[in-house]
Amino acid sequence: MDKRKPLMHLVIWFVAILVYLNLGCSNESPKVPIQPEVVKGFAFFDLGANSHYSSAVRRKLGKKLGSDAISRQNVIDLTIYSSAFFKKHFPELFQLNRQLNLPEGERIEHNTTKLMYRYARLKETPFKDVTLYFSNDTGNPLFFKISAGPDAAAIVETIKKKYGAPQEFQWKDKDGQTLFWKDRKDFFVVSSTKDRLGNPEYLFCIYHVNNLEGMLATEKARNLTGQEKIREAGESAF
C-alpha cells in the first residue's frame, strides 16, 4: 500500500476546509453579478443606477482611486452643506433623508456597503474625497458623494456636454453656485464654492432615488415580517 495516499487525502481535506471557510466568512459574494450592457442614469466610473456592486467592482475602483476603507451597516445622510440649504433647494431629497433617519435622534443603520477613498489624489485624479454607498440587498448604487479641487472645473464642462443644460442657482449667503440635473427621480448635483484661501472647490453628488426608495421598501417589509414573527411567538407561548 502506498504510504503517501493518507497524507494526500489529509492535504486535500485541509485545502477543502480552507476554501469552505474563506467562502463562508467573506462578506462579498464569490458570484460576480452581471453588469448591465447599457449603464442607466447618472454614472461615476461607469457605475449607474442599474449597476451592481461586487468585489470585482471594488478592485476596479481601487485601480482608479487607490486604497479604500469599507464598512457595512451604515447611517446614510444625504444632506449637503446644511439642513436649511438642503430643505430649501432640494425638498424631495430632504424628505427622503428624513425617512432614512427616522426616528430622529437615533442612529439608523441600513444594510449597505460604504466605500471611502481618501487618497485618490495620489492616483493623479482631481478627487479629494470619495464616498460610495451600495445596497447589500440588490447591489445597486444608492448615493455617491465626491469632493474635488480646482482641477475639477473641466469635469463640470464634461458633465454639461453629457447630460445637457442643467438647472442652476446662485448662493445668496456666500460665493457659490449649484447646478443640477434630474432623470426621473434621480438627481445629479454639482456645487462650486471657494475654500478659505480662495481656491475653487467642487462637490459632486449622485442621488439614486429610485434605488434608495427601493431599499426603504425592502426594510419596511423585513421589519413587518420580523414583527409578525414576534407576535406569533408570543401567541404560541400560552
Side-chain angles (χ1 to χ4, degrees):
M1 181 178 178
D2 192 343
K3 295 182 179 180
R4 293 175 299 176
K5 285 186 176 180
L7 179 62
M8 290 177 63
H9 290 159
L10 180 62
V11 171
I12 292 171
W13 273 106
F14 181 70
V15 171
I17 290 171
L18 285 178
V19 171
Y20 173 79
L21 289 175
N22 182 58
L23 293 179
C25 295
S26 174
N27 285 312
E28 294 181 346
S29 171
K31 296 181 180 179
V32 179
I34 299 175
Q35 298 300 331
E37 294 183 3
V38 178
V39 175
K40 293 183 179 180
F42 304 119
F44 178 68
F45 283 130
D46 297 325
L47 291 172
N50 59 333
S51 298
H52 300 278
Y53 174 77
S54 67
S55 56
V57 166
R58 186 183 178 191
R59 287 193 299 270
K60 181 179 178 181
L61 289 170
K63 292 178 181 178
K64 297 177 182 294
L65 298 172
S67 60
D68 64 15
I70 186 170
S71 66
R72 296 179 176 83
Q73 303 301 319
N74 302 284
V75 172
I76 302 178
D77 185 2
L78 306 179
T79 306
I80 53 175
Y81 298 112
S82 71
S83 181
F85 176 96
F86 203 48
K87 183 178 182 179
K88 177 181 178 181
H89 296 292
F90 300 102
E92 300 160 80
L93 295 176
F94 177 82
Q95 291 300 326
L96 177 58
N97 193 57
R98 288 195 65 192
Q99 293 178 53
L100 288 167
N101 293 285
L102 286 175
E104 294 181 4
E106 294 187 16
R107 180 180 173 85
I108 308 302
E109 296 182 341
H110 302 276
N111 187 27
T112 57
T113 292
K114 178 170 71 171
L115 300 179
M116 296 161 285
Y117 300 87
R118 302 291 182 259
Y119 307 103
R121 298 297 292 269
L122 299 179
K123 285 288 188 177
E124 298 183 345
T125 76
F127 308 123
K128 295 191 296 184
D129 191 275
V130 178
T131 304
L132 313 175
Y133 292 85
F134 300 87
S135 166
N136 286 342
D137 291 310
T138 64
N140 292 144
L142 301 169
F143 174 43
F144 293 168
K145 188 175 185 179
I146 305 108
S147 63
D151 295 337
I155 297 177
V156 177
E157 295 306 312
T158 300
I159 294 171
K160 288 180 180 179
K161 291 178 182 178
K162 183 175 182 179
Y163 298 117
Q167 299 181 59
E168 60 183 278
F169 59 86
Q170 302 292 326
W171 298 7
K172 293 183 178 181
D173 56 342
K174 62 185 297 187
D175 184 13
Q177 180 189 44
T178 294
L179 314 176
F180 66 96
W181 293 259
K182 193 173 181 182
D183 180 13
R184 298 178 178 85
K185 290 185 176 182
D186 295 354
F187 282 82
F188 192 170
V189 180
V190 179
S191 294
S192 60
T193 185
K194 293 183 179 179
D195 63 19
R196 59 184 179 179
L197 299 178
N199 299 314
E201 58 182 8
Y202 297 85
L203 180 64
F204 302 85
C205 292
I206 297 178
Y207 299 90
H208 292 293
V209 174
N210 283 315
N211 293 344
L212 285 163
E213 290 179 342
M215 181 191 70
L216 285 172
T218 298
E219 290 178 346
K220 183 177 181 180
R222 185 181 294 131
N223 290 338
L224 288 174
T225 300
Q227 292 170 6
E228 180 65 20
K229 287 183 178 179
I230 292 173
R231 185 186 64 78
E232 290 177 354
E235 289 178 348
S236 62
F238 300 98

